[in-house]
Amino acid sequence: MIVLQISNASEVVASKVGRFLELLTPDSIDHNAVEDQVIKKLVENLAAEGIKGEIAAVQGVDLSGDQLSLHDGLKVRKKTSF
């Protein structure tokens, strides 16, 4: 299993749509939008390589150093098979 934590979602959104529009959107929307685009590209690239599997955007998980922490309210926000 691979865990990917995106730490600069707001900066990515700002670079794509501009700083003013980024300031108008909540960080959670920025994070979800960037996660969705990363998932889309990962699925395209992995499927092109013939790799089959599932990918999920999960809320309630934190990665800090060597520790993976699960929180109450663990939720799969989006799941895609490829």
Side-chain angles (χ1 to χ4, degrees):
M1 181 174 290
I2 298 169
V3 176
L4 170 68
Q5 180 173 311
I6 299 169
S7 60
N8 66 335
S10 293
E11 291 86 0
V12 171
V13 170
S15 72
K16 302 291 183 189
V17 300
R19 180 55 79 187
F20 177 72
L21 290 177
E22 188 274 328
L23 291 173
L24 297 176
T25 60
D27 286 342
S28 62
I29 291 175
D30 293 349
H31 197 82
N32 290 347
V34 171
E35 279 182 351
D36 291 346
Q37 286 302 309
V38 168
I39 288 171
K40 179 181 174 187
K41 291 296 184 181
L42 281 171
V43 167
E44 289 172 4
N45 291 326
L46 293 171
E49 294 294 328
I51 298 171
K52 294 181 180 181
E54 296 177 322
I55 190 167
V58 180
Q59 297 172 331
V61 177
D62 285 324
L63 181 62
S64 179
D66 291 343
Q67 299 294 318
L68 183 66
S69 303
L70 303 177
H71 301 282
D72 290 338
L74 181 65
K75 177 181 165 188
V76 175
R77 186 181 63 78
K78 179 178 182 175
K79 179 182 160 214
T80 302
S81 297
F82 55 94

